[in-house]
Amino acid sequence: SIHSLSLSLQAKMSKPVQARRLEGIDKNIWVEFVKLAATYSTVNLGQGFPDFPPPDFLKEALERALGGENHALHQYTRAFGHPPLVKILAQFFGKLLGRDLDPMTNVMVTVGAYQALFCCFQAFVDEGDEVIIIEPFFDCYEPMVKMAGGTPVFVPLRPRTPKDGKLMSSADWQLDPDELASKFNERTKAIVLNSPNNPLGKVFSRGELELIADLCARHDVLCISDEVYEWLVYDGKEHIRIASLRGMWDRTVIIGSAGKTFSATGWKVGWTVGPDRLLQHLRTVHQNSVYHCATAPQDAVAQGFQRELELYGKPDSYFIRLPKDLQRKRDRLIQSLDAVGMKPIVPEGTYFLVADISEFKSDVPDVPDSEEPYDSRFAKWMVKSKGLAAIPLSAFYSEAHKNNYTRFIRFCFAKEEATLKAASDILQKWKREKTRP
Amino acid sequence: VEFTKVAADPSIVNLGQGLPDISPPSYVKEELAKAAAVDRLNQYTRGFGHPSLVKALSQVYERVCGRKIDPLTDILVTVGAYGSLFSAIQALIDEGDEVIIIEPFYDCYEPMVRMAGAKPVFIPLRYQNNGNCASSADWVLDPAELANKFNSKTKAIILNTPHNPIGKVFTREELQGIAELCIKHDTLCISDEVYEWLVYKGKEHVKIATLPGMWERTITIGSAGKTYSVTGWKLGWSVGPRHLIKHLQVVHQNTLYVCATPLQEALAQALWTDYKRMDDPGCYFYSLSRELEGKRDRMAQLLREAGLKPVLPEGGYFMIVDVSALNVDLSGVDENQPYDYKFVKWMIASKKLSAIPLSAFCGPETKKQFEKYIRFCFIK
């Protein structure tokens, strides 16, 4: 009846329909910035994905998976990971870690590294637990900790001015050891490590990792190690896996991504590697949230890894060719930014770099009592009026610290030559307009 | 997970897990090959659903539901219908809530509800013998019993039609009864309709969201895996009013963010192909169910000949079978398990045939009621 319908509508309005776990996690920077880029940008150096294709051998692997008479690859595979994929991952990472890994218990496949992160927070973080997050951070860590009922505790990387007027490097952003130690207490359940780090491109040194490992051991804390950019390291730097440090294997979950490894972000294949005592809980979350991951992409990624295992360390290895290509692109973008007065921080890894836009501040006036951080307004203005998309650094900081570093924006340089040239052209034109009398 | 391992032995005929071993239609496979060849389609797409896919879904469901559906606000694409169930439950169910689950139930409903901190409240379908050959239509809810399960704590009821495992297709009247209770108690409805196209002769799939007062309070879930026999694509979707879907989108952006691009593009193209021929009997939405009806009848016949009592399903691709008449001696099998678990173990070992015991789909109180049944899958 109309009467009961109106009563029910009133009832609906008195209590919120959504669960309390959604509190404070509804905002998402990407929804807004991806839309802006799609609407306004002519050159998109914002969201992190390559604009060049995955390597031929990977595309061919998917073609083979789909083309065969065998249509089993269109049906469910093993829930915790397609057998050929977990087997090769166990072999590959076993080699890298110097360990015998069991594909069934030490590896679990996920829908991208994103879902691996979700499984970790859901599996390990309980109400009242604290999780240490190093700022700046890939933005999903914070809402995921909150959704699990945990409390994020932030500790910043602090920039030190480089000597001799050199360009700043991501290595110049460092943790203060005492400050880090002060964040650990009896409520600390885990620390999230992201190396190479998005957005700065920092590659944590052995000394820095030992510092973290030492604190984890002392306080019995887990380490969620997001290593999706593990192959993208430059200038001869080494990516060190924290799980290989003494005492760490047993308390670490390593997260990896086919999207970043093989330039195929749209495939959404990720994985976790770790001890069974930790992975068993990831399996529980996984089987109650997603259960199976898509079969054909897993099969193709397995073939990709097979090839890389055979070519490991050889010049033809994609894991050698890709960082070589990206280093050139990095240097290209650094040059373009430096030439116009934007000061890039040279990243040691990942395909991101962060630049100081102070020289361009006059284009976007300060609004004293604005809720929105300066760099966010700047980035929005830039995409709308210059067609160049980038992401404000404040997007990678907690609410309380969004205004700490507001003169930096993040560029993605995993782009074709033509794209980087077009970016350079926009920057040059912009610079000319600024210096015109 | 338990039964999949056992039946992975290739010498065993696996009629257990709901996995087609028929081929997906060739145009569906071709669309995926085409999509994967496009460079841009190997990178991230829109988080809440690839634009061409949500557009195609909105068109198909606008036609089916007879109402306008906004592709950007009323639809979320998820990793299988499983992912939609998870997103809906995490978005809308809170600690202390009660959620009504109809038994037997697709087994993930219970743990998902518990994971959200809520209490599952079970109500069984009860067998009403009408003297004819057993049909899934013989299994019904007792209206008074159902009404009793609703109270001020009831946040949602999970509906599954066509129903897994029994194959029941809820009638308009039955859905009306559920709808009235939802409206009276201001309860949400999570409607798992993954088998929506697999409805057999004489039966009609009715969407509860199309009943008066229900669109505003219903999330309707669908599945590419079941629609196109591509369970390995793991794509599903939730359709509903903006004020509910927005919360599922929040869960999605904090769990896996975006689904695979080439699979979504391929699915979009396949849906357009069939959308354009929805007036044509050749449309896959209708042709698959005709194909499966033949298999259903053949399987039922074989089971009867073996002395078993199948319950003929009105929809879906599962069939439950009463095995008690065979009176098999199961004293050799593990004592502590329900009858149907023991029967399936015996059947795998001695007949090289696997199925799923029905008590796997029940809450603790009702296991006794259902333990003489096992479930076969006939999309083979």
Side-chain angles (χ1 to χ4, degrees):
Chain A
S1 75
I2 301 281
H3 180 64
S4 58
L5 195 56
S6 83
L7 274 181
S8 79
L9 285 172
Q10 276 177 275
K12 190 169 72 187
M13 282 179 239
S14 61
K15 60 174 178 180
V17 70
Q18 75 274 23
R20 286 186 300 268
R21 67 181 65 83
L22 301 194
E23 228 168 279
I25 65 166
D26 50 324
K27 301 256 176 299
N28 184 279
I29 187 106
W30 301 106
V31 176
E32 187 179 12
F33 275 89
V34 167
K35 232 197 303 199
L36 281 170
T39 312
Y40 297 102
S41 76
T42 48
V43 179
N44 186 358
L45 302 189
Q47 194 188 5
F49 62 86
D51 71 356
F52 48 79
D56 285 337
F57 67 81
L58 193 78
K59 293 202 291 185
E60 284 155 21
L62 185 61
E63 250 175 82
R64 278 194 301 272
L66 299 175
E69 277 314 304
N70 178 16
H71 49 79
L73 292 178
H74 291 283
Q75 307 306 335
Y76 291 131
T77 182
R78 177 177 167 269
F80 303 131
H82 188 51
L85 180 55
V86 292
K87 286 195 184 117
I88 192 74
L89 287 171
Q91 234 184 312
F92 203 96
F93 285 93
K95 194 174 134 123
L96 292 172
L97 295 164
R99 248 174 211 280
D100 238 314
L101 296 182
D102 179 345
M104 302 292 132
T105 58
N106 296 133
V107 182
M108 188 183 84
V109 175
T110 54
V111 181
Y114 212 96
Q115 195 230 337
L117 287 160
F118 177 72
C119 287
C120 285
F121 293 118
Q122 287 287 313
F124 305 132
V125 178
D126 227 333
E127 295 250 357
D129 284 345
E130 291 183 9
V131 178
I132 298 172
I133 297 175
I134 299 166
E135 287 179 313
F137 57 94
F138 180 54
D139 67 298
C140 80
Y141 303 156
E142 183 184 1
M144 284 192 183
V145 167
K146 286 187 168 144
M147 191 172 163
T151 305
V153 170
F154 301 100
V155 61
L157 286 162
R158 294 180 184 282
R160 298 159 168 225
T161 325
K163 307 186 195 103
D164 316 328
K166 278 162 73 173
L167 280 178
M168 191 179 258
S169 155
S170 54
D172 295 318
W173 288 66
Q174 294 167 9
L175 291 168
D176 177 317
D178 294 329
E179 188 177 17
L180 177 64
S182 75
K183 304 291 180 179
F184 282 76
N185 60 48
E186 63 278 355
R187 287 181 305 280
T188 314
K189 190 68 185 283
I191 179 168
V192 185
L193 173 69
N194 176 216
S195 182
N197 165 281
N198 170 14
L200 285 174
K202 178 183 177 62
V203 173
F204 283 70
S205 66
R206 186 173 291 276
E208 287 170 316
L209 295 176
E210 277 168 354
L211 181 69
I212 294 169
D214 188 57
L215 286 161
C216 284
R218 254 196 282 148
H219 296 270
D220 192 20
V221 164
L222 299 175
C223 180
I224 298 168
S225 186
D226 177 351
E227 304 184 21
V228 296
Y229 300 103
E230 58 190 311
W231 301 109
L232 307 187
V233 288
Y234 311 120
D235 308 318
K237 274 246 144 58
E238 189 199 350
H239 169 66
I240 299 165
R241 294 180 171 81
I242 196 171
S244 64
L245 300 192
R246 198 158 41 107
M248 288 307 285
W249 166 256
D250 224 27
R251 58 176 70 257
T252 306
V253 175
I254 309 171
I255 293 174
S257 157
K260 310 296 191 268
T261 294
F262 289 113
S263 310
T265 60
W267 287 27
K268 290 292 291 188
V269 175
W271 53 82
T272 54
V273 174
D276 187 36
R277 79 168 189 112
L278 296 181
L279 256 63
Q280 64 175 314
H281 303 303
L282 301 185
R283 292 193 291 267
T284 304
V285 175
H286 184 77
Q287 87 193 20
N288 287 300
S289 56
V290 146
Y291 199 21
H292 297 90
C293 299
T295 312
Q298 288 189 68
D299 198 76
V301 171
Q303 292 184 56
F305 265 105
Q306 190 62 55
R307 177 202 192 261
E308 288 303 305
L309 184 66
E310 283 155 27
L311 289 173
Y312 188 73
K314 305 207 171 88
D316 252 351
S317 155
Y318 191 66
F319 298 167
I320 288 180
R321 276 184 24 228
L322 181 64
K324 226 182 187 167
D325 282 341
L326 286 173
Q327 179 165 329
R328 269 197 302 267
K329 292 176 193 292
R330 176 196 71 167
D331 296 342
R332 176 93 165 81
L333 184 61
I334 284 172
Q335 211 179 35
S336 305
L337 292 167
D338 199 25
V340 300
M342 280 195 187
K343 294 195 177 31
I345 298 169
V346 180
E348 301 156 274
T350 77
Y351 47 47
F352 299 111
L353 72 77
V354 168
D356 182 333
I357 44 91
S358 302
E359 293 265 319
F360 288 72
K361 280 188 93 159
S362 53
D363 290 72
V364 181
D366 242 312
V367 174
D369 292 315
S370 172
E371 287 250 327
E372 191 177 6
Y374 179 83
D375 56 353
S376 180
R377 288 194 303 111
F378 185 93
K380 286 184 189 169
W381 174 87
M382 188 173 78
V383 70
K384 287 180 184 164
S385 52
K386 302 296 172 192
L388 179 61
I391 306 293
L393 193 67
S394 57
F396 306 95
Y397 280 87
S398 61
E399 198 56 46
H401 302 155
K402 275 201 194 302
N403 286 303
N404 289 9
Y405 299 98
T406 56
R407 57 184 205 280
F408 295 99
I409 57 179
R410 183 198 82 171
F411 293 97
C412 172
F413 54 85
K415 306 292 174 186
E416 300 269 28
E417 260 316 299
T419 313
L420 295 173
K421 165 121 200 345
S424 175
D425 291 344
I426 289 175
L427 290 165
Q428 290 286 338
K429 180 161 181 272
W430 188 358
K431 177 69 190 282
R432 278 197 304 273
E433 282 162 9
K434 287 176 74 58
T435 51
R436 201 166 293 150
Chain B
V1 174
E2 196 188 331
F3 281 92
T4 315
K5 258 195 283 201
V6 168
D9 179 344
S11 70
I12 294 170
V13 176
N14 185 3
L15 299 184
Q17 195 189 5
L19 186 134
D21 72 4
I22 64 170
S23 177
S26 50
Y27 62 92
V28 171
K29 293 192 286 183
E30 274 152 31
E31 290 299 348
L32 183 52
K34 279 200 325 231
V38 178
D39 288 346
R40 179 67 187 86
L41 295 177
N42 286 291
Q43 308 303 336
Y44 291 132
T45 182
R46 175 178 169 268
F48 302 142
H50 187 53
S52 62
L53 176 55
V54 293
K55 190 88 200 354
L57 287 167
S58 74
Q59 298 285 81
V60 170
Y61 287 108
E62 271 183 9
R63 208 196 122 121
V64 171
C65 298
R67 71 176 301 133
K68 196 101 196 58
I69 295 175
D70 185 319
L72 301 183
T73 60
D74 301 347
I75 298 180
L76 173 67
V77 175
T78 55
V79 176
Y82 212 94
S84 273
L85 285 161
F86 182 73
S87 297
I89 291 169
Q90 284 284 310
L92 304 171
I93 308 299
D94 223 332
E95 293 229 11
D97 284 346
E98 290 185 10
V99 177
I100 298 173
I101 297 176
I102 299 166
E103 295 172 297
F105 53 90
Y106 179 55
D107 65 304
C108 81
Y109 301 161
E110 182 186 355
M112 283 190 183
V113 165
R114 289 194 193 282
M115 190 171 164
K119 177 177 163 206
V121 170
F122 299 107
I123 177 166
L125 285 164
R126 292 185 185 282
Y127 181 63
Q128 214 177 62
N129 188 351
N130 67 357
N132 296 329
C133 187
S135 151
S136 57
D138 301 335
W139 293 77
V140 296
L141 292 172
D142 178 315
E145 189 181 12
L146 179 64
N148 240 349
K149 302 290 179 178
F150 282 77
N151 60 48
S152 57
K153 293 216 192 88
T154 312
K155 191 69 186 286
I157 178 168
I158 300 177
L159 173 68
N160 179 215
T161 182
H163 181 268
N164 172 13
I166 294 181
K168 177 183 178 62
V169 173
F170 283 71
T171 64
R172 188 173 290 276
E173 293 66 41
E174 286 173 314
L175 295 177
Q176 212 94 265
I178 294 171
E180 264 160 36
L181 287 163
C182 285
I183 291 167
K184 178 173 175 193
H185 295 270
D186 191 22
T187 302
L188 301 173
C189 179
I190 298 170
S191 188
D192 176 353
E193 302 185 13
V194 297
Y195 303 104
E196 59 187 306
W197 303 112
L198 305 185
V199 179
Y200 304 120
K201 240 190 321 257
K203 301 297 168 181
E204 186 202 359
H205 172 66
V206 178
K207 289 176 121 42
I208 196 169
T210 59
L211 300 189
M214 288 307 286
W215 171 259
E216 293 307 303
R217 60 182 66 255
T218 306
I219 301 285
T220 306
I221 294 172
S223 156
K226 310 296 191 266
T227 297
Y228 284 113
S229 310
V230 287
T231 58
W233 288 26
K234 283 295 292 195
L235 284 176
W237 49 84
S238 296
V239 179
R242 171 188 209 136
H243 70 264
L244 294 181
I245 292 290
K246 73 180 187 195
H247 301 303
L248 277 71
Q249 290 174 337
V250 170
V251 172
H252 185 78
Q253 88 197 16
N254 288 298
T255 53
L256 51 93
Y257 201 83
V258 66
C259 297
T261 315
L263 294 165
Q264 290 191 72
E265 173 64 22
L267 178 60
Q269 296 308 321
L271 285 168
W272 281 125
T273 300
D274 285 299
Y275 172 71
K276 286 187 285 212
R277 49 181 190 166
M278 275 177 89
D279 284 322
D280 179 343
C283 174
Y284 194 70
F285 301 159
Y286 320 134
S287 66
L288 178 61
S289 65
R290 284 196 306 272
E291 185 186 345
L292 289 178
E293 188 160 349
K295 294 179 192 291
R296 176 196 73 164
D297 295 342
R298 175 141 186 258
M299 163 135 279
Q301 174 79 340
L302 290 169
L303 291 164
R304 281 183 210 114
E305 282 166 11
L308 297 162
K309 295 210 287 221
V311 174
L312 202 68
E314 302 155 274
Y317 51 55
F318 298 109
M319 180 179 304
I320 67 168
V321 183
D322 179 344
V323 298
S324 60
L326 284 186
N327 237 337
V328 174
D329 177 8
L330 297 173
S331 52
V333 191
D334 179 6
E335 291 261 324
N336 289 325
Q337 301 222 300
Y339 182 88
D340 51 359
Y341 269 80
K342 295 197 285 193
F343 185 92
V344 169
K345 284 213 174 119
W346 166 83
M347 190 173 73
I348 290 173
S350 58
K351 303 295 177 192
K352 296 290 187 189
L353 179 65
S354 84
I356 304 287
L358 211 67
S359 52
F361 302 94
C362 303
E365 321 269 309
T366 21
K367 283 195 198 295
K368 280 273 157 220
Q369 210 179 307
F370 293 102
E371 68 174 338
K372 63 180 186 171
Y373 294 95
I374 64 177
R375 183 196 80 174
F376 284 98
C377 171
F378 55 87
I379 183 165
K380 306 288 176 184

